[in-house]
Amino acid sequence: MSHNQTKDRAEESAATEKLDNLAVITQTLSPIQSGKHCWEIAARPPMRVPARIFTDWEGMKGLLDDLEEKEWSALRQLTNVTVLPGIVKAALAMADVHPGYGFPIGGVAAFDVETGTVSLAGVGFDINCGMRALRTPLTRDQLIGKEQALLEGLYADIPAGLGSTGKLVLEQEELDRILTGGAPEIVALGFGLPEDLEYIEEGGVIQAADPEAVSATAKKRQRKEVGTLGAGNHYVEVQVIDQIYDNSAAAAYGISTDQILVTFHTGSRALGHQIGNDYQPILEAATKKYGIEVPDRELICAPIQSPEGQQYLRAVRAGANCAFANRQMLAHMIRQTIARVMEIPEGEIETLYEVCHNTAKQERHVVDGVERELLVHRKGATRAFGPGRPEVPERYRGVGQPVLVGGTMGTMSYVLRGTALGMVETFGSALHGAGRAMSRRQAGKQWRSDQITRELRDRGILVRAHGRRSLAEEAPGAYKDAERVVQIMAEAGIIAPVARVRPLVCIKG
Amino acid sequence: MPYTYLEHEADIGLEGTGETLERAIEAGVQGLLDLMVDTETVEPVENVAVSAEGTDPATLFVALLNAVIAERDITGFFFNRFQVNEIDQVDGHWRANGILHGEPVDFDRHAVGNEVKAATYSGLRFIDQPDRKSLRCVLDI
């Protein structure tokens, strides 16, 4: 936590000058002395609370440059969020922050459940998108010579990419049960193991979801999409644990060096997307009806206690359960492929943990010494509960919740744990990935998919994608350095590193 | 077709331009279709009707893009072209309907592109000049 005071002052004055020149945000920007790598934009009307950014000076410089040069700026989006009614403490950005729509990606905002608002952009269209890690009993040596078979097996068995359909074709009644019942409903249908459920955030189901709040169009779109990976930055990856940083947490998580993990990233598929589509006009009307001034049209929202807000939240919970069910189905299918190719029993492939990073969830947090009921929006941010929280599975409770952070198909991913300081500073939230540094269009121009495949193969990583541009657009060089953003969050004390994992085989949508 | 993709770090900005609102919307939808699939590989075998409504031309544009995204899932088709039939304005509500041309997904022939999750109200803009209309929004990829 040591600070170079002279350097800080120079940085502070440079940043303040930059902001003053902008006349977009005229607030002062200063490093908070209580924590390293935390910057605050003080609240001035119409901001209701400050904006706080967890990043280093290099990251802050990049964000300030974007504010001047780019039409969509993460910093402007973050300060816009501070304007929403009922926001508590501060709008927060994690080190992987980058521009989204309305909210920045890597953004966290908590609202008082009585006086606050629920915002569509704070949840996003991929409701409850998240990551599941499976731990296998395999070590790196056992995979030698099997990598190609794993690549082909996962490519053939796991429906991915635009237009793919799942093995389940659901009638509306079955889908409604999934929207209410989440992952346990999928286990009840015979897919996956009952013990998976304990290691999913929320146990794989959020109560008080209402299928009636979800449109017929959303359900029609989802009919064949349970058990599909999707596209974009969604993936399934076979990985090896490269390094352990925290032996006691690793022991609690049941992981050790050289062990093989399988991690995948996906969300609520078409049903979640359609909930966003359907509620966009509804929340825009609500924003007008309740006289809420929003600085960006995508920040449409409704008071949490209004009929529109309650209806949207019931739909969001249904969307979240759809994502839990989707990941449970995929876990089952991936487990089958790994077990078949590696000739091991399916039961030996266990769920390490599943985290969510596009959510608005009701949680209790202590704010300024008072315990309050809050609706925490995490848009591209992972819940990262520290030790002792009852929501964390008993086996992990002593060390804190596992936080899964995806790198790129060519760089390291991380298993982290939540900390006590994170509970105080970020409502128990942390980063979710490397964060994009370059647009898809730019990446598509800079790289070719076959070139990426070759370069990664030379480094011992096998990749294959369903979409023709996916590998170029998802090129490792199009992302920020995951190692750096993890290190910043660790130095800030928001998370603690447990393990670093290296990609071996990766399938993209 | 005069559409433009705009630089956005995580997602894609889309702008459709035309002499009339109809042409601007068609251009924007074409930009969406060209993202989803190489439209050269898709034959216009069947017609699918789509309609949408909004409170102004900009939200109408977003609603129509989202209707096209939804039809892709519901029909299991890829589309290569879109034509506006009619746009009207009743009691402050803008409505549009049109026809998508395409065929069922065939992974052997169709070169698949991006999955677009949704069209959003972010960056929403309608430019209304006598001889040039332009519509813009950010697509969530």
Side-chain angles (χ1 to χ4, degrees):
Chain A
M1 295 278 172
S2 72
H3 260 278
N4 181 328
Q5 294 290 328
T6 319
K7 190 165 160 246
D8 281 349
R9 269 197 293 276
E11 287 177 355
E12 182 182 340
S13 92
T16 306
E17 191 184 337
K18 211 160 197 176
L19 283 171
D20 283 344
N21 289 343
L22 283 168
V24 179
I25 302 168
T26 54
Q27 292 76 10
T28 56
L29 180 71
S30 59
I32 296 179
Q33 294 309 313
S34 67
K36 200 177 176 187
H37 301 318
C38 182
W39 303 79
E40 178 167 288
I41 300 173
R44 292 204 189 157
M47 292 169 69
R48 292 169 195 263
V49 292
R52 285 185 191 160
I53 306 104
F54 289 87
T55 188
D56 59 2
W57 173 235
E58 195 190 325
M60 201 63 221
K61 270 194 296 194
L63 291 169
L64 288 166
D65 288 345
D66 285 356
L67 189 57
E68 286 175 316
E69 293 159 13
K70 295 200 179 155
E71 183 157 13
W72 287 285
S73 144
L75 220 48
R76 188 177 296 113
Q77 289 178 338
L78 187 69
T79 52
N80 285 345
V81 171
T82 67
V83 174
L84 298 177
I87 186 165
V88 171
K89 192 158 90 172
L92 306 166
M94 306 294 119
D96 55 335
V97 67
H98 56 282
Y101 41 88
F103 265 60
I105 299 167
V108 177
F111 295 81
D112 185 281
V113 291
E114 296 303 326
T115 61
T117 43
V118 57
S119 168
L120 190 139
V123 179
F125 287 82
D126 198 352
I127 297 168
N128 202 21
C129 187
M131 312 250 296
R132 164 101 61 122
L134 303 170
R135 76 182 153 231
T136 76
L138 303 162
T139 59
R140 176 72 188 95
D141 293 350
Q142 291 169 279
L143 242 68
I144 292 171
K146 299 275 182 76
E147 294 93 338
Q148 189 65 32
L150 283 169
L151 183 82
E152 300 302 334
L154 290 170
Y155 187 84
D157 296 349
I158 308 304
L162 180 62
S164 63
T165 49
K167 292 188 176 73
L168 283 180
V169 178
L170 298 165
E171 296 309 319
Q172 193 184 312
E173 284 164 27
E174 297 169 298
L175 187 57
D176 282 355
R177 278 204 297 276
I178 285 169
L179 299 188
T180 316
E185 198 61 40
I186 296 293
V187 173
L189 290 171
F191 306 113
L193 309 172
E195 44 274 38
D196 289 332
L197 300 172
E198 192 185 346
Y199 297 99
I200 304 176
E201 206 170 295
E202 307 289 341
V205 57
I206 296 181
Q207 301 304 322
D210 182 8
E212 297 294 316
V214 179
S215 72
T217 304
K219 291 173 190 173
K220 265 194 249 170
R221 288 182 65 183
Q222 190 62 26
R223 234 181 127 233
K224 299 177 184 171
E225 290 205 11
V226 172
T228 63
L229 190 66
N233 58 5
H234 293 173
Y235 63 84
V236 49
E237 192 168 271
V238 180
Q239 311 162 321
V240 58
I241 297 182
D242 181 76
Q243 196 175 343
I244 296 283
Y245 302 102
D246 181 334
N247 287 323
S248 63
Y253 295 170
I255 55 174
S256 53
T257 309
D258 255 9
Q259 188 177 354
I260 299 296
L261 302 183
V262 185
T263 302
F264 61 96
H265 175 210
T266 188
S268 49
R269 312 295 304 118
L271 185 122
H273 310 167
Q274 186 64 37
I275 290 171
N277 295 349
D278 292 333
Y279 280 88
Q280 213 160 225
I282 294 169
L283 291 185
E284 183 175 49
T287 307
K288 285 199 187 107
K289 177 178 164 186
Y290 298 104
I292 303 167
E293 302 262 342
V294 290
D296 177 339
R297 211 161 166 182
E298 186 58 33
L299 274 182
I300 43 177
C301 55
I304 293 167
Q305 297 303 337
S306 69
E308 294 87 346
Q310 286 294 309
Q311 194 196 356
Y312 175 57
L313 280 169
R314 287 196 296 270
V316 164
R317 293 183 202 117
N321 288 338
C322 183
F324 284 132
N326 188 42
R327 284 190 290 266
Q328 182 60 25
M329 189 66 205
L330 282 165
H332 164 71
M333 294 160 75
I334 290 167
R335 189 178 258 145
Q336 281 191 319
T337 302
I338 304 289
R340 186 188 71 235
V341 174
M342 298 308 301
E343 296 173 32
I344 57 169
E346 285 176 30
E348 290 187 9
I349 304 168
E350 299 171 321
T351 295
L352 166 55
Y353 203 54
E354 178 177 306
V355 296
C356 313
H357 52 230
N358 278 357
T359 54
K361 292 205 292 197
Q362 203 162 321
E363 295 169 2
R364 291 190 79 79
H365 288 276
V366 177
V367 182
D368 298 327
V370 181
E371 191 170 91
R372 292 174 70 173
E373 195 76 28
L374 304 174
L375 185 73
V376 184
H377 295 64
R378 295 188 180 93
K379 178 68 186 80
T382 310
R383 194 190 76 176
F385 280 178
R389 283 286 294 214
E391 295 91 336
V392 180
E394 202 180 340
R395 180 175 168 178
Y396 305 156
R397 203 170 291 154
V399 294
Q401 173 202 320
V403 178
L404 307 172
V405 171
T408 72
M409 55 191 167
T411 54
M412 302 291 184
S413 292
Y414 291 83
V415 180
L416 316 168
R417 62 177 181 85
T419 65
L421 186 65
M423 296 311 301
V424 177
E425 294 289 337
T426 62
F427 306 105
S429 316
L431 75 173
H432 85 309
R436 286 196 79 92
M438 187 191 286
S439 76
R440 293 180 181 279
R441 308 288 309 163
Q442 234 179 315
K445 282 177 202 154
Q446 190 150 340
W447 291 284
R448 285 174 39 141
S449 289
D450 55 347
Q451 168 202 358
I452 295 287
T453 308
R454 221 174 23 247
E455 282 175 15
L456 290 174
R457 193 175 51 219
D458 290 346
R459 291 172 43 207
I461 304 164
L462 300 184
V463 298
R464 194 165 171 196
H466 293 262
R468 64 198 167 112
R469 287 187 302 267
S470 302
L471 294 177
E473 291 184 0
E474 291 290 316
Y479 280 85
K480 292 193 184 91
D481 182 357
E483 188 179 343
R484 198 187 118 236
V485 293
V486 165
Q487 193 185 341
I488 291 167
M489 295 302 287
E491 285 176 2
I494 305 302
I495 46 85
V498 176
R500 184 171 80 174
V501 298
R502 186 158 47 86
L504 297 171
V505 170
C506 182
I507 298 290
K508 288 268 188 190
Chain B
M1 280 282 195
Y3 65 79
T4 319
Y5 298 125
L6 309 163
E7 289 295 323
H8 183 289
E9 257 170 54
D11 301 307
I12 292 177
L14 172 66
E15 185 164 32
T17 309
E19 284 184 9
T20 61
L21 184 58
E22 285 81 354
R23 296 296 90 78
I25 285 181
E26 283 173 354
V29 172
Q30 191 63 42
L32 171 68
L33 299 181
D34 287 341
L35 270 180
M36 293 163 121
V37 66
D38 177 354
T39 51
E40 298 281 311
T41 64
V42 178
E43 296 294 327
V45 179
E46 293 191 47
N47 295 341
V48 175
V50 284
S51 61
E53 53 180 80
T55 52
D56 54 33
T59 53
L60 174 67
F61 178 54
V62 168
L64 197 58
L65 291 170
N66 282 326
V68 171
I69 293 166
E71 280 306 325
R72 208 234 57 78
D73 283 333
I74 292 167
T75 59
F77 280 23
F78 280 131
F79 303 109
N80 72 339
R81 254 184 79 226
F82 171 71
Q83 272 171 300
V84 172
N85 281 344
E86 195 182 18
I87 297 180
D88 62 12
Q89 193 192 357
V90 183
D91 299 334
H93 257 265
W94 291 73
R95 295 186 307 202
N97 65 72
I99 300 289
L100 283 161
H101 305 277
E103 61 177 334
V105 166
D106 177 353
F107 289 119
D108 292 335
R109 282 192 297 117
H110 297 149
V112 183
N114 296 93
E115 182 180 75
V116 180
K117 289 176 184 164
T120 77
Y121 286 179
S122 187
L124 200 58
R125 192 177 74 184
F126 173 51
I127 295 173
D128 185 6
Q129 294 167 340
D131 57 348
R132 182 179 168 273
K133 316 288 174 197
S134 165
L135 288 154
R136 191 189 75 167
C137 71
V138 171
L139 303 176
D140 181 7
I141 304 289

